[in-house]
Amino acid sequence: MDKLVSSWYNDQSLPESYIFPPHERPGKLLVPRCNTVPVIDLSDTRTNLVHQILKASQEFGLFQVVNHGVPPNIMSETMSVFHKFFELPAEDKASLTVYTNDPKRCKLVTSTLDYDREKIHLWRDVLRHPCHPDCIEFWPRKPLRYREVVAACSIEAKKLGLQILELLCEGIGIEHGYFEHELTEDLLLRANHYPPCPDPSLTLGIPKHFDPDILTILLQEHISGLQVLKDGEWIGVRPIPNAFVVNIGYILQVISNNKLKGAEHRVVTNSSDHRISVVFCMNPAGNSNIEPAKSVVTATNPPLCRGFQFKEFLDNFYSMEGDADLALQPFKL
Ligand code: OGA
Ligand code: NI
């Protein structure tokens, strides 16, 4: 019973197993306040950028970037490749839906990797795979240009992410190059497909969560759906042509010793349009040590947690059903 939502969404009303409890539902207010999420022009001066990115990361944990230098054709071709991918006939996608726990392999699932155990299903299908060159042999073969286009985009996404991390390091006083190697070694791709939904007020594409990574770089189209929680209120992240959405991951919040704020966000569905988002997650290597950076810890700002291996945190995160705060609990001081 874990057929892709995209294969049946048109045939029936919203099944009960997709209905969220009342306090989690988006309700009627599907597109709440807009326009307040910061938009940062990366062609600005370095001094201005350091200031703006730091402010956005402290206040929202999420912002958009424009004039970032990623060629627009790479962005549009990436979107187009994923449209074609999700439109492929079922037989072309079948080999990717086979269960595997090999972390190098590509997985296409509906809802989450935990479909059989979860209480409520999410209104999305998702393709995920590592972006490391060693894993490309497992990437989809169709559409024909998938590997070429997605490889080009993932290289650009990582470059952009490292550039933003450098600006953040300067802003909070972490040494240059801190994130350059182990801490951003694993770039993971997640392509989400949210088909039109018969009742968007009752369900979600993804419920409220922090991304359990360092930084997330997201490509969306002209269809709204992503929202960020700010001061207890959900704010829609307005799609802007050729922009990337950037959000601070929970692990970066930990390394910054809470100087930066991880973004709590969610995705609502809509009843008329398919929505696709392409998400690049900058993740530490599994065995890398995560701890508040020494340079941000002081007598008045003591470390909030002890050091731990990234994979220990991830194990907790998945066994706590994606609750990052609970996953960090065992390491707190
Ligand atoms: C995610 C996520 C947002 C979106 O995949 O973690 O938050 O707009 N996606 O699809
Ligand atoms: Ni997310």
Side-chain angles (χ1 to χ4, degrees), residues 190 206 209-212 216 218 226 247 263 265-267 279:
R190 206 160 43 237
I206 312 182
H209 68 285
F210 291 101
D211 289 348
T216 304
L218 177 142
L226 175 59
N247 70 260
H265 55 288
R266 71 177 185 183
V267 180
V279 183

Side-chain angles (χ1 to χ4, degrees), residues 27 104 107 150 160 163 179 220 297:
K104 280 186 153 185
K107 298 182 186 76
V150 175
L160 174 61
Q163 185 193 347
F179 293 97
Q220 62 176 346
V297 168

Side-chain angles (χ1 to χ4, degrees), residues 124-327:
R124 69 147 180 197
D125 299 327
V126 53
L127 175 73
R128 38 174 92 227
H129 63 65
C131 294
H132 195 275
D134 289 353
C135 303
I136 294 186
E137 62 178 300
F138 301 117
W139 290 10
R141 288 181 190 283
K142 287 186 186 173
L144 270 185
R145 295 192 62 218
Y146 186 98
R147 295 180 180 189
E148 174 200 344
V149 168
V150 175
C153 194
S154 63
I155 289 168
E156 294 292 337
K158 181 147 182 184
K159 240 177 20 191
L160 174 61
L162 286 175
Q163 185 193 347
I164 291 167
L165 287 168
E166 277 297 294
L167 294 165
L168 281 169
C169 281
E170 197 169 320
I172 57 173
I174 292 182
E175 56 272 25
H176 164 75
Y178 190 90
F179 293 97
E180 217 150 88
H181 301 289
E182 245 185 72
L183 289 174
T184 51
E185 192 172 289
D186 282 345
L187 186 68
L188 300 182
L189 176 136
R190 206 160 43 237
N192 297 295
H193 173 208
Y194 311 93
C197 174
D199 194 342
S201 70
L202 298 178
T203 191
L204 286 162
I206 312 182
K208 179 172 89 168
H209 68 285
F210 291 101
D211 289 348
D213 61 3
I214 300 279
L215 200 70
T216 304
I217 310 282
L218 177 142
L219 181 55
Q220 62 176 346
E221 316 168 273
H222 55 286
I223 316 281
S224 306
L226 175 59
Q227 301 180 340
V228 60
L229 190 62
K230 162 97 168 93
D231 303 328
E233 189 182 8
W234 287 106
I235 297 179
V237 181
R238 176 176 59 103
I240 301 177
N242 293 325
F244 281 101
V245 179
V246 177
N247 70 260
I248 305 296
Y250 196 80
I251 296 297
L252 183 51
Q253 177 179 317
V254 169
I255 292 174
S256 76
N257 209 34
N258 281 347
K259 279 191 164 183
L260 304 176
K261 179 177 155 359
E264 271 190 294
H265 55 288
R266 71 177 185 183
V267 180
V268 298
T269 63
N270 77 78
S271 56
S272 51
D273 294 305
H274 290 266
R275 177 168 182 272
I276 288 175
S277 63
V278 182
V279 183
F280 294 95
C281 295
M282 300 180 84
N283 270 354
N287 60 5
S288 50
N289 183 51
I290 308 295
E291 61 182 1
K294 303 253 179 332
S295 42
V296 294
V297 168
T298 57
T300 50
N301 184 23
L304 64 106
C305 65
R306 65 169 174 85
F308 54 87
Q309 283 201 344
F310 180 59
K311 62 171 179 271
E312 295 178 84
F313 172 84
L314 267 194
D315 285 347
N316 292 349
F317 182 80
Y318 288 113
S319 58
M320 302 295 178
E321 294 174 15
D323 187 323
D325 284 328
L326 282 181

